[in-house]
């Protein structure tokens, strides 16, 4: 007689079944608590430092906080070798040094230089990267507005145009604008180099963006006005409007334009305490569609108190969902990093991901912080020169590997080098790689953007970074002030493993 | 050559300037190379020495009447009106109270709380510089003294003090407070609340000192700001004298710098060290974050002490960072001793060339005040950019002292400051340094005429002093150039 066939056995079997169900539920709930997050929990915004990258053995890694270069590293020789984690240098063109901006198309990189009278080759360097191990300068764009582009050097891939506004010292001396045709990427052809028809000091360029269709350029007079230039005919640019935002809401630093050209994602700079540092989304469809009497309209804002001098943006999609990749150039107390620490605020500016599903109410979903951004770590930064430096470890540009299907983003972070994050789960970002270029010693490079810094024990990484996959290898193109143009390679060569260490893969 | 500030030199670092930081400052190209500035300034100091030596003679020094006759008042001194004195004293006490209260109840943001700017910038810097022009007004309106005197008035007069001020204490209490102040500025960076607590503790120490030794002694030797501003006031063309009834002050004009000649420094090494610390602390402030200073530890000293930590610098860095902290602190504390050593070496050379029998300590005391103009101008040059960026914000802080978003003066939000004019800043700093050193040369020569019996000896004695002045000039120019970058 089986137990289950008797009445007592049936009751026992039911009891055991119930116990098994309870146990299974307990185990499952325990799993959820231990890391298998429920759907709701997985959508809690990530606000702490992201998990550190697992670096390959043999990499020359940081020994202090994530992002930090310690005093011993700076002055004991380690920083002179640079630092790397899952990225390695493939090729370099140091040239005369680099300034803030990098743009690209096909096999060419374009990077700005400092506009020093000592430069042999002033203007934007055109780099042929057909051979990643031997990039070389093949031309220089030296229209007046290309001599110091600040953050305005942008490309329209669709129309093969590159353009910039005149930006000496971050506030152009003249309302200059230049646009080149880069259909043959190695041989840019000047289409126009003009001064916009406005009185002196009405427009002083700093940054800008070109609409993806290449018909409109948006210049930024930081933090005063947004000026829109019609480049439908690139040989005859026309100023459409110089818009001074009412109440300063929409005052631009850098900006980006949506794929359809109807939205401008303005980074509105301020201190954290100002309540005006963050994102302003503008409807710019009047300009895109060339409507009469065009005017931008504010359709959404998101200001945050934990950053300062909002810097850059890029609209991206992760699993088809729209986000904005944004960064702050400084912390909430601007350059007063020590003041931030004193107030338990992040000392440096960092990137963040913003959900754009409802563009009238954008929401932050994760902060791409490093340990150096956490005020709890301020005591470990007490003797760090970055804490008294201008930008320290703050972010500058961020760029996604693929704006339509983003998995990785690379952010330049001044003294912290270039940091690569896996954002495939936007609520659980993690760092997967970094590269800190070595300190340059010896005479200053005249085109370098860091020559204005005395007592330096670092290089400045400020540029946009380009992800490019060739021959099964994923490259990362970066520039830094003293090291110029550099081609890096993710050391895990299998496609899809970028930035993942052997340890990561073995855990899989 | 292109120069640009990369950080605002000055105290406190909590007030570093945003406008500068975002690198919107236009680069400044020096019209001539930096080394030419050094040579030109050094040559000017030497030339001044020659001119002063030729024109300023022993008889002139002996018969000098430093006071300028006040023709309008028939040569008599003018009494400071009682209402003005009362008003200024009340204002000073009010500022002290505001500094304390705003730090305790106001915002933690040092940019938005008035107490950081009021204490560090307005009082410690601006008031000190103003003292060079208007004299030691602080002696009249010292808020701690005012509070003590209000207390005495309400409790029927001063009490007998338990102790007489020991002569051997000299200026050591004030010097200790001075080192503490600079220590706070460079290493501790107290936020607004911290500044309030420091002021409260300092007030208690001051009242304790007054209770123990009496207000006359303590405010002459022990209270930092009384001592500091009295010394600075010696350079001013205005002097104040307390009248016999002790509650009236007479004001009269005198020649600039003459106070440093009239007042003979007391025989105290602490006085010499105090004056030297006025200079060395600013030099250390300019030096302690430079590659030169940091490398001295991380590239050289750590090698010397390698047996104590091993061979792997990175593995030992946590321990070495503790040593580095000690190295930084020691640098500040020992800086006046380094200057004292150099000063003594110069004076030994002076003794050798003049064959004088005057003891070294007496010579050190006699010439101590020659450092005053150098220390003051060097301080001004060091903090010049901080003043330019913070002073325009003061009205907004008065309008909203606690950072509560008040608009007491209806000023609205502060405007974005214009970019700093680097040409004007650099030239101002160089001019300040030069003027201070010329004043130092002049003072040294006049003191030499007083100390030495013959003009020949006086001039001979000034050759080593000239080396001291030229060294200070070159050092000062080099250090103020350190926050700037060379392209």
């Amino acid at each position: 007689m089986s137990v289950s066939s008797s009445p007592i056995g049936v009751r026992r079997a039911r009891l055991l079944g119930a116990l098994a169900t309870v146990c299974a539920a307990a185990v499952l709930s325990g799993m959820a608590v231990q890391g298998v997050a429920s759907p709701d929990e997985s959508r809690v915004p990530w606000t702490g430092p992201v998990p550190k990258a697992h670096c390959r053995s043999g990499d020359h890694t940081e020994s202090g906080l994530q992002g930090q270069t310690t005093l011993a590293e700076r002055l004991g020789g380690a920083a002179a070798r640079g630092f790397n984690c899952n990225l390695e240098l493939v090729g370099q063109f140091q040239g005369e040094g680099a300034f803030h901006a990098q743009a690209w198309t096909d096999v060419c990189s374009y990077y700005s230089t400092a506009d020093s009278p000592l430069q042999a080759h002033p203007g934007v360097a055109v780099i042929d990267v057909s051979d990643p191990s031997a990039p070389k300068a093949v031309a220089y764009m030296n229209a007046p507005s290309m001599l110091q582009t600040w953050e305005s050097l942008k490309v329209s891939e669709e129309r093969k145009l590159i353009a910039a506004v005149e930006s000496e010292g971050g506030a152009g001396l003249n309302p200059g604008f230049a646009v080149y045709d880069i259909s043959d990427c190695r041989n840019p052809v000047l289409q126009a180099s003009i001064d916009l028809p406005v009185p002196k000091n009405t427009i002083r360029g700093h940054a800008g963006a070109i609409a993806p269709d290449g018909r409109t350029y948006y210049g930024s007079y930081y933090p005063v006005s947004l000026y829109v230039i019609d480049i439908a005919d690139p040989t005859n640019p026309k100023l459409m409007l110089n818009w001074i935002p009412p109440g300063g809401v929409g005052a631009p630093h850098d900006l980006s334009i949506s794929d359809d050209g109807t939205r401008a994602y303005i980074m509105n700079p301020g201190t954290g305490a100002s309540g005006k540092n963050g994102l302003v989304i503008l409807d710019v469809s009047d300009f895109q569609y060339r409507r009469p009497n065009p005017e931008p309209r504010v359709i959404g804002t998101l200001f945050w108190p934990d950053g300062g001098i909002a810097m850059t943006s890029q609209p991206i999609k992760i699993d088809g969902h729209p986000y904005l990749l944004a960064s702050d150039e400084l912390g909430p107390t601007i350059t007063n990093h020590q003041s931030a620490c004193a107030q338990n605020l992040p000392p440096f500016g960092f990137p963040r991901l913003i959900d754009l599903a409802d563009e009238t109410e954008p929401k932050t979903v994760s902060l791409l912080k490093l340990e150096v951004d956490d005020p709890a770590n301020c005591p470990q930064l007490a003797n760090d020169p970055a804490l008294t430096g201008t930008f320290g470890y703050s972010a500058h540009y961020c760029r996604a590997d693929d704006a339509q299907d983003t998995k990785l983003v690379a952010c330049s972070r001044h003294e912290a080098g270039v940091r690569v994050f896996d954002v495939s789960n936007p609520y659980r970002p993690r760092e997967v790689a970094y590269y800190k270029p070595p300190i340059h010693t010896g005479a200053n490079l005249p085109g370098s953007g860091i020559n204005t810094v005395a007592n330096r024990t670092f290089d400045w990484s400020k540029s946009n970074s380009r992800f490019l996959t060739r021959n099964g290898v994923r490259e990362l193109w970066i520039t830094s002030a003293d090291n110029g143009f550099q081609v890096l390679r993710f050391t895990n060569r299998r496609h899809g493993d970028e930035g993942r260490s052997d340890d990561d893969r073995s855990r899989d | 050559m292109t120069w640009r500030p990369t950080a605002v030199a000055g105290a406190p670092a909590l007030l570093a300037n945003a406008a500068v930081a975002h690198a919107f400052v236009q680069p400044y190209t020096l019209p001539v190379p930096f080394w030419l500035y050094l040579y030109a300034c050094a040559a000017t100091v030497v030339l001044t020495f020659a001119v002063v030596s030729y024109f300023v003679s022993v008889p002139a020094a002996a018969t000098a009447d430093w006071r300028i006759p006040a023709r309008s008042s028939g040569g008599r001194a003018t009494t400071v009106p009682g209402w003005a004195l009362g008003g200024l004293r009340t204002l000073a006490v009010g500022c002290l109270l505001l500094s304390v209260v705003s730090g305790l109840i106001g915002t933690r943001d040092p940019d938005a709380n008035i107490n950081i700017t009021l204490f560090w910038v307005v009082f410690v810097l601006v008031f000190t510089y103003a003292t060079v022009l208007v004299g030691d007004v602080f002696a009249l309106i010292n808020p701690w003294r005012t509070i003590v005197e209000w207390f005495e008035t309400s409790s029927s007069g001063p009490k007998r003090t338990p102790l007489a001020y020991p002569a051997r204490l000299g200026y050591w209490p004030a010097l200790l407070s001075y080192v503490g102040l600079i220590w706070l500025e460079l290493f501790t960076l107290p936020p607004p609340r911290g500044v309030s607590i420091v002021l409260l503790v300092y007030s208690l120490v001051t009242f304790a000192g007054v209770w123990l030794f009496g207000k006359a002694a303590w405010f002459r030797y022990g209270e930092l700001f009384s001592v500091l501003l009295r010394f600075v006031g010696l350079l001013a063309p205005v002097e104040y004298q307390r009248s016999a009834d002790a509650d009236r002050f007479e004001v009269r004009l005198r020649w600039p710098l003459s106070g440093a000649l009239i007042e003979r420094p007391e025989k105290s090494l602490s006085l010499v060290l105090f004056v030297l610390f006025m200079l060395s602390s600013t030099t250390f402030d300019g030096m302690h974050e430079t590659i030169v200073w940091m490398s001295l530890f991380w590239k050289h000293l750590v090698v010397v002490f390698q047996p104590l930590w091993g061979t792997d610098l990175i593995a030992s860095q946590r321990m070495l960072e503790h040593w580095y902290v000690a190295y930084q602190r020691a640098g500040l504390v020992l800086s006046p001793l380094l200057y004292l050593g150099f000063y003594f070496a110069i004076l030994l050379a002076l003794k050798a060339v003049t064959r004088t029998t005057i003891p070294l300590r007496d010579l050190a005391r006699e010439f101590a005040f020659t450092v005053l103009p150098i220390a003051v101008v060097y301080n001004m040059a060091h903090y010049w950019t901080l003043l330019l960026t913070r002073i325009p914000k003061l009205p907004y802080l008065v309008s909203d002292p606690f950072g509560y978003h008040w608009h007491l003066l209806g000023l609205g939000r502060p405007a974005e400051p214009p970019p700093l004019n680097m040409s004007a800043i650099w030239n101002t700093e160089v001019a300040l340094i030069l003027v201070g050193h010329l004043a130092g040369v002049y003072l040294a020569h006049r003191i030499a005429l007083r100390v030495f019996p013959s003009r020949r000896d006086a001039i001979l004695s000034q050759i080593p002093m000239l080396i001291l002045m030229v060294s200070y000039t070159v050092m000062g120019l080099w250090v103020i150039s350190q926050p700037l970058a060379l392209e």
Side-chain angles (χ1 to χ4, degrees):
Chain A
M1 189 172 69
S2 70
V3 173
S4 58
S5 60
S6 70
I8 295 172
V10 169
R11 280 200 295 273
R12 280 183 181 168
R14 284 177 183 163
L15 187 60
L16 284 171
L19 279 172
T21 304
V22 168
C23 287
V27 168
L28 286 173
S29 62
M31 284 170 65
V33 167
Q34 285 177 19
V36 183
S38 69
D40 285 338
E41 286 172 325
S42 71
R43 299 185 74 80
V44 174
W46 183 272
T47 57
V50 301
K52 284 182 170 182
H54 298 285
C55 304
R56 193 177 56 134
S57 60
D59 285 346
H60 187 220
T61 57
E62 299 163 337
S63 64
L65 295 170
Q66 183 185 28
Q68 186 184 21
T69 309
T70 64
L71 268 172
E73 290 169 343
R74 288 167 188 262
L75 297 160
R81 290 169 52 200
F83 298 90
N84 72 306
C85 172
N86 300 328
L87 280 168
E88 65 184 14
L89 183 67
V90 175
Q92 179 179 13
F93 177 78
Q94 186 180 31
E96 295 180 286
F99 208 65
H100 298 353
Q102 184 193 201
W104 52 80
T105 190
D106 301 332
V107 292
C108 296
S109 161
Y110 309 98
Y111 70 81
S112 61
T113 58
D115 191 23
S116 160
L118 302 175
Q119 282 176 244
H121 302 289
V124 172
V126 180
I127 307 298
D128 178 350
V129 203
S130 339
D131 177 357
S133 65
K136 59 187 179 196
V138 291
Y140 293 89
M141 292 183 275
N142 54 16
S145 296
M146 290 288 174
L147 295 179
Q148 197 180 76
T149 68
W150 216 259
E151 292 146 354
S152 71
L153 186 70
K154 301 291 165 65
V155 158
S156 163
E157 191 64 41
E158 192 174 321
R159 284 192 79 194
K160 297 293 182 190
L161 293 175
I162 186 168
V165 295
E166 186 172 338
S167 310
E168 295 94 342
L173 300 176
N174 305 293
F177 175 71
V179 55
Y180 284 73
D181 181 297
I182 48 173
S183 301
D184 175 359
C185 79
R186 298 176 184 84
N187 296 296
V189 177
L190 181 63
Q191 301 297 293
S193 174
I194 62 164
D195 277 352
L196 298 167
V198 293
K200 191 170 174 61
N201 294 332
T202 306
I203 284 175
R204 305 191 67 182
H206 183 102
I210 192 166
D213 66 5
R215 296 172 63 244
T216 315
Y217 185 92
Y218 294 84
S220 157
Y221 174 10
Y222 173 103
V224 178
S225 70
L226 180 71
Y227 52 107
V228 190
I229 305 168
D230 181 347
I231 53 170
D233 175 2
T235 64
N236 185 25
K238 292 176 189 154
L239 180 65
M240 300 169 78
L241 182 71
N242 181 32
W243 181 65
I244 299 174
V249 176
H253 189 179
D254 202 9
L255 64 151
S256 59
I257 306 297
S258 62
D259 289 344
D260 64 3
T262 63
R263 298 289 182 267
Y265 301 104
I266 304 282
M267 301 310 289
N268 203 93
T271 63
S274 71
K276 291 282 178 61
N277 182 72
L279 166 68
V280 175
I281 303 176
L282 295 181
D283 178 348
V284 290
S285 52
D286 285 1
F287 302 97
Q288 177 67 18
Y289 299 128
R290 300 297 193 266
R291 292 178 184 133
N293 304 315
E295 186 133 8
R297 285 177 291 278
V298 176
I299 56 176
T301 61
L302 176 65
F303 299 119
W304 47 82
D306 54 354
I309 313 297
M311 167 63 207
T312 189
S313 63
Q314 184 190 15
I316 60 174
K317 285 184 179 154
I318 302 174
D319 286 336
H321 191 93
Y323 294 93
L324 191 76
L325 175 60
S327 66
D328 284 310
E329 189 169 0
L330 286 162
T333 54
I334 315 296
T335 52
N336 305 359
H337 313 304
Q338 291 159 305
S339 164
C341 282
Q343 297 176 70
N344 201 32
L345 294 169
F348 305 110
F350 49 84
R352 68 188 64 221
L353 283 173
I354 296 166
D355 187 335
L356 287 182
D358 179 356
E359 61 182 1
T360 64
E361 284 192 35
K363 294 182 182 68
T364 296
V365 297
S366 59
L367 307 179
L368 306 183
K369 274 182 179 173
L370 304 177
E371 287 176 347
V372 289
D373 302 319
D374 187 346
N377 291 323
C378 280
Q380 286 171 261
L381 296 168
N383 300 306
D384 192 323
L387 208 62
T388 52
T390 306
F391 296 102
Y393 300 120
S394 290
H396 202 238
Y397 275 112
C398 284
R399 195 77 178 183
D401 56 346
D402 179 349
Q404 300 306 317
D405 183 20
T406 300
K407 297 278 192 301
L408 301 177
V409 298
C411 296
S412 52
R413 293 210 39 162
H414 289 93
E415 295 183 40
V418 176
R419 322 295 298 200
V420 182
F421 304 96
D422 179 344
V423 294
S424 47
N425 178 350
Y427 289 86
R428 293 291 180 272
R430 63 192 183 104
E431 188 177 46
V432 292
Y434 61 79
Y435 185 82
K436 277 185 188 171
I439 299 170
H440 170 72
T441 53
N444 283 346
L445 300 168
S448 168
I450 204 175
N451 291 341
T452 50
V453 177
N455 297 307
R456 58 183 186 261
T457 51
F458 48 85
D459 193 6
W460 261 353
S461 296
K462 288 185 90 108
S463 76
N464 262 320
S465 307
R466 181 192 194 186
F467 289 87
L468 176 68
T469 302
R470 284 191 284 189
N471 305 320
V473 175
R474 180 155 282 194
E475 298 169 9
L476 191 69
W477 296 8
I478 66 168
T479 73
S480 62
D482 274 343
N483 282 275
F485 175 77
Q486 297 144 85
V487 179
L488 310 178
R489 171 172 64 191
F490 288 94
T491 48
N492 297 107
R493 299 183 185 188
R494 198 180 73 192
H495 191 61
D497 277 347
E498 296 84 6
R500 306 176 76 224
S501 69
D502 296 338
D503 287 347
D504 285 337
R505 284 187 295 129
S506 64
R507 271 193 290 274
D508 294 344
Chain B
M1 264 186 200
T2 302
W3 301 75
R4 180 186 288 185
T6 54
V8 175
L14 288 173
L15 294 176
N17 180 35
V20 175
H22 197 49
F24 295 138
V25 184
Q26 292 302 308
Y28 172 56
T29 302
L30 292 182
V32 293
F34 179 59
W35 61 264
L36 208 52
Y37 276 92
L38 295 182
Y39 280 121
C41 290
T44 309
V45 173
V46 173
L47 194 63
T48 305
F49 160 76
V51 171
V52 169
S53 299
Y54 184 79
F55 286 106
V56 181
S57 63
V58 175
T63 59
D65 180 2
W66 303 110
R67 297 205 171 93
I68 301 172
R71 288 175 190 156
S72 59
S73 58
R76 289 174 299 158
T78 305
T79 302
V80 179
W83 59 266
L85 201 56
L88 286 171
R89 284 175 172 170
T90 306
L91 181 66
V93 172
C95 286
L96 176 61
L97 289 176
L98 178 61
S99 296
V100 172
V101 171
S102 60
L104 294 177
I105 69 169
T107 175
R108 295 163 66 189
D109 181 355
D111 259 340
N113 192 314
I114 196 171
N115 88 334
I116 296 281
T117 299
L118 194 57
F119 177 70
W120 288 108
V121 179
V122 175
F123 178 53
V124 176
L125 299 183
V126 175
F127 194 84
T128 302
Y129 308 148
T131 299
V132 178
L133 298 176
V134 302
D136 184 16
V137 176
F138 190 71
L140 284 63
I141 65 169
N142 181 335
W144 291 286
R145 187 168 189 139
T146 301
I147 292 170
V148 167
E149 289 176 352
W150 285 348
F151 179 78
E152 286 174 350
T153 305
S154 64
S155 60
S156 64
K159 303 284 189 296
R160 282 180 60 87
T161 58
L163 295 171
Y165 190 81
R168 66 176 181 280
L169 259 187
Y171 290 92
W172 292 112
L175 179 59
L176 195 65
S177 300
Y178 199 3
V179 173
L181 179 78
I182 305 300
W183 182 295
L184 284 174
E185 176 203 336
L186 298 185
F187 305 132
T188 311
L189 294 174
R193 186 179 177 82
V195 168
S196 295
I197 291 168
V198 166
L199 283 173
L200 283 172
V201 170
Y202 184 75
S203 299
L204 290 176
V205 169
T206 301
F207 298 142
V210 168
W211 174 78
L212 206 56
F213 301 114
K215 67 181 178 187
W218 191 253
F219 287 117
R220 179 166 182 85
Y221 298 108
E223 200 272 299
L224 162 63
F225 300 105
S226 298
V227 174
L228 177 71
L229 294 166
R230 177 161 62 83
F231 288 170
V232 172
L234 295 175
L235 307 174
V238 184
E239 68 172 340
Y240 304 90
Q241 284 191 331
R242 195 175 283 262
S243 64
D245 63 10
D247 202 31
R248 291 170 54 233
F249 283 87
E250 293 179 340
V251 56
R252 66 176 77 204
L253 295 178
R254 65 186 179 194
W255 293 108
L257 309 178
S258 60
L261 298 169
I262 297 167
E263 179 157 333
R264 301 288 288 270
E266 289 125 315
K267 289 186 179 179
S268 168
L269 181 64
S270 58
L271 181 147
V272 177
L273 276 172
F274 188 98
V275 174
L276 288 174
F277 189 70
M278 288 172 68
L279 184 60
S280 73
S281 59
T282 314
T283 308
F284 181 78
D285 189 358
M287 278 281 292
H288 82 293
E289 286 176 353
T290 62
I291 291 255
V292 173
W293 178 254
M294 291 191 293
S295 296
L296 181 63
F297 177 86
W298 289 102
K299 288 187 177 170
H300 304 292
L301 287 178
V302 291
V303 174
V304 173
F305 293 104
Q306 203 163 22
L308 296 177
W309 56 268
T311 55
D312 188 338
L313 188 68
I314 299 302
S316 306
Q317 63 179 322
R318 289 183 75 92
M319 180 181 72
L320 290 173
E321 287 216 13
H322 291 303
W323 293 11
Y324 179 69
V325 169
Y327 163 77
Q328 287 281 27
R329 273 48 168 180
L332 174 69
V333 174
L334 298 178
S335 66
L337 298 180
L338 187 69
Y339 272 59
L340 185 70
F342 187 45
Y343 185 56
F344 275 177
I346 293 291
L347 293 176
L348 283 173
L350 182 153
K351 274 174 73 76
V353 296
T354 59
R355 297 179 183 174
T356 180
T357 56
I358 302 171
L360 186 65
R361 289 187 68 159
D362 285 355
L363 285 174
R365 174 180 60 83
E366 287 284 0
F367 285 99
F369 287 158
T370 64
V371 179
L372 284 176
I374 298 169
V376 172
V377 296
Y378 185 39
N379 193 278
M380 287 177 78
H382 182 73
Y383 293 120
W384 191 243
T385 49
L386 184 76
L387 295 182
L388 291 178
T389 54
R390 293 308 301 181
I391 295 301
K393 294 187 176 177
L394 189 59
Y396 298 94
L397 290 168
V398 173
S399 188
D400 180 23
F402 305 136
Y404 288 171
H405 303 292
W406 290 352
H407 298 285
L408 299 178
L409 305 181
L411 297 175
R413 298 177 63 81
E416 184 76 16
L420 295 174
N421 182 334
M422 286 313 299
S423 169
I425 288 170
W426 172 250
N427 288 318
T428 303
E429 290 177 348
V430 171
L432 283 169
I433 295 257
L434 196 55
V435 166
H437 286 81
L438 299 185
V441 167
Y442 173 78
L443 277 181
H445 186 73
R446 300 227 59 150
I447 291 170
L449 291 172
R450 185 176 71 200
V451 172
F452 297 103
S454 74
R455 186 180 183 195
R456 178 185 167 280
D457 279 355
I459 291 175
L460 272 180
S461 76
Q462 289 311 285
I463 293 172
M465 289 301 285
L466 185 64
I467 294 171
L468 183 73
M469 297 298 171
V470 170
S471 304
Y472 283 161
T473 307
V474 171
M475 181 76 173
L477 285 174
W478 181 77
V479 174
I480 64 162
S481 74
Q482 286 305 292
L484 307 169
L486 170 64
E487 184 174 272

